[in-house]
Amino acid sequence: MQLTEKLAGQSTQSTDLAHGRKNRKDGSFFTYVDLAINSSSCLHFHQFDNPSRDGLACIARMLSARDRICSQQVREMLILWKGYHQSRKLPEPLPAPDSSVICFSLNAAINYYLLEVFQRNNFTIQEGQLKISKTGDELTRRAACFSQRLAREKRLLLHCQTAAAGEGSASLKLQEFKPERDFLGVGPLDFPSRLASTRNFPLVFNSSFFLLELADHLNPFSLLGEHYNLLIRDSVIESPAIYRRAALVSSPDQQWQLIKPGIQDFVIRLGDKFYDLQDFSLNKLSTHSIYNRLFGLKEKGYTSSRTPEQPGSCHLIIIGRDLVGYAPEGGAPIPQNGFVLALPARELNPEEAAAQRINYHFASGAQYHQGIQAGPALVTGGRRVLRPESLEEEEFFSAEAVGQPGDCGVVPTDYAADVDRTRAARLLLGVKDNGNLGLLGVEGVSLAVKNGEEDCSSGATLKELADLAVSRGYQRAINLDGGGSTNIIYHGQPLIKSAGLMGCEHNEGFAGERMVPVVGLLNQ
């Protein structure tokens, strides 16, 4: 579709900022901002360590707003809890109820045990507090301890859509409560604008994809809001590439490169042992295998959520830099934001390995100082490389492409499976023809914040974003998380209107801003 353009601009010592508008023949348009970063060595990635103080309430309002806007049945009750960092382990390994899985992760144990009592309907809500009704066995006693701990540490929120009007109303809400949908652990999320204001960073922007849809975090080891795929901070690989997608990384001499790493490109240190993952079979049964959520797709046409049974083996469940659990003899749940490493049981003591954090390095010997992975790749060599096949090639497999009942796809599970039809708010990070980094954002306003305005930026397709990047002088660029997460905070103010859902506002002028787990920032 033919586009025409209007431009305006301004500059500071560390950045050059341009605003523009692209008009389409059908009368629609999108607006964009293009921010050239002149101090590329000052760009870092920041991962929030703890859920924000108001995070649970904001998540509850966001989920409620989504239900209303998407014409879904509004959930009468949500039970949300602030998750712990994945490095937070149980004092002793704990078997999951009715499963061969062993938990090291405190988060997983809370999920497993409380979900079990919810499914048994062995709980009540009394004076706004969660109570386990009967504690006559070890499982319910453990669940009660976890519930009391969350309440004591003020990590638990019971969110009702409407105020209870007596015992009958409360009973109705409990009848409508669906544990796997309405009981959610929330990971470390916060608002980019809050970080910008409290730390006085001149630039903060969202970056990587994270677990947001229900299908993303059904695994007991995962939390809503957790980041996934490659993240490098100050030369430390905080999480490896799980799926082979585009990443932008900086070398020690601050040269930014576009690469497409996958899980087999790494050497992993577990305890005192090193494993080169190139030697492991990917998503195939072998003595040494790696499994991610693409397991089963090539052979059966749909993904599998568990590894195969394998007597004599040990299947290690890994998220980021932490061994969070294992399944003796296979059958491990595969987290969307992690992977499972299958080894002969005699090779490694899981309990000893879980006592230390995991380290990664690239098998090629390459070293990088900063890095973020999202995808797909949009531009290389100053030309658009995005094609209709790009999403499939970069291992995107959304729920809409699923043909098998119960298959949730691969994260991001709600991602549109086209490059030239779906218009949305967009964000890319890339390198311009002068060698400087650039950040290009397209505004796309959701129904939640449109408020009856007809003359609004419609967002762009991935193809339009790639073509815009080429016209703006980008030599290489990758797509970052967009949609409702799209956010650029520049000297304390948002450069584009949020496309997020109403109910998430925490600060005047930031209505609809979405909390995210990882941001890019300029520290001078």
Side-chain angles (χ1 to χ4, degrees), residues 46-52 59 62 187-193 195 204-212 224-227 427 481-487 513-520:
H46 174 80
Q47 185 173 27
F48 294 110
D49 293 326
N50 297 295
S52 70
I59 290 293
M62 182 192 73
L189 296 163
D190 213 331
F191 294 103
S193 63
L195 179 67
V204 179
F205 60 94
N206 70 285
S207 55
S208 65
F209 293 113
F210 60 96
L211 306 184
L212 182 61
L224 185 154
E226 287 187 312
H227 150 91
L427 188 64
D481 187 18
S485 301
T486 309
N487 197 357
E513 183 181 16
R514 179 181 288 174
M515 294 184 295
V516 297
V518 177
V519 294

Side-chain angles (χ1 to χ4, degrees), residues 395-473:
E395 301 182 340
F396 285 78
F397 185 66
S398 65
E400 74 174 58
V402 170
Q404 180 76 12
D407 183 4
C408 298
V410 174
V411 285
T413 57
D414 67 335
Y415 209 73
D418 68 86
V419 302
D420 57 359
R421 296 188 306 276
T422 303
R423 298 172 180 175
R426 304 286 184 183
L427 188 64
L428 72 73
L429 181 66
V431 180
K432 295 205 160 192
D433 47 19
N434 61 2
N436 288 338
L437 281 176
L439 190 66
L440 185 59
V442 172
E443 185 170 286
V445 181
S446 75
L447 293 175
V449 295
K450 193 171 180 179
N451 293 327
E453 298 177 49
E454 295 298 328
D455 192 31
C456 287
S457 175
S458 68
T461 67
L462 284 172
K463 180 178 180 296
E464 288 174 332
L465 181 66
D467 288 339
L468 177 63
V470 171
S471 71
R472 298 291 304 164

Side-chain angles (χ1 to χ4, degrees), residues 101-102 112 219 221 315-319 322-327 332-335 339-341:
V101 174
I102 306 299
Y112 270 118
N219 188 292
F221 288 89
H315 288 203
L316 307 172
I317 305 165
I318 295 171
I319 295 178
D322 294 287
L323 174 55
V324 293
Y326 71 100
I334 309 171
F339 61 98
V340 174
L341 202 63

Side-chain angles (χ1 to χ4, degrees), residues 16-18 32-38 40 248 256 379 382 428-440 468-477:
D16 294 305
L17 175 63
Y32 68 87
V33 294
D34 187 8
L35 187 65
I37 302 169
N38 301 327
S40 298
L248 207 64
W256 289 81
V379 178
L428 72 73
L429 181 66
V431 180
K432 295 205 160 192
D433 47 19
N434 61 2
N436 288 338
L437 281 176
L439 190 66
L440 185 59
L468 177 63
V470 171
S471 71
R472 298 291 304 164
Y474 282 81
Q475 290 297 303
R476 46 194 176 275

Side-chain angles (χ1 to χ4, degrees), residues 142-209:
R142 287 188 185 277
C145 287
F146 288 137
S147 172
Q148 292 162 9
R149 175 175 183 162
L150 293 174
R152 184 174 63 252
E153 296 180 3
K154 298 182 178 180
R155 288 178 170 266
L156 195 62
L157 173 69
L158 278 65
H159 177 81
C160 296
Q161 292 296 330
T162 55
E167 184 176 345
S169 176
S171 299
L172 176 62
K173 294 178 187 299
L174 290 179
Q175 290 175 8
E176 297 293 328
F177 180 75
K178 297 181 180 179
E180 289 194 349
R181 182 193 68 179
D182 302 335
F183 175 66
L184 302 172
V186 178
L189 296 163
D190 213 331
F191 294 103
S193 63
R194 180 176 289 159
L195 179 67
S197 62
T198 56
R199 300 284 295 275
N200 201 31
F201 292 125
L203 174 65
V204 179
F205 60 94
N206 70 285
S207 55
S208 65
F209 293 113

Side-chain angles (χ1 to χ4, degrees), residues 41 78 114 120 124 149 152 161 225 232 253 255 304 307 346 356 368 396 410 417 435-436 446 456 482 484 488 521 524:
S41 63
L78 289 167
L114 287 180
R120 295 182 183 185
T124 60
R149 175 175 183 162
R152 184 174 63 252
Q161 292 296 330
I232 305 174
D253 61 357
Q255 298 298 309
S304 300
T307 63
R346 64 182 181 276
Q356 302 178 43
Y368 303 109
F396 285 78
V410 174
N436 288 338
S446 75
C456 287
I488 306 173
L521 59 87
Q524 74 171 26

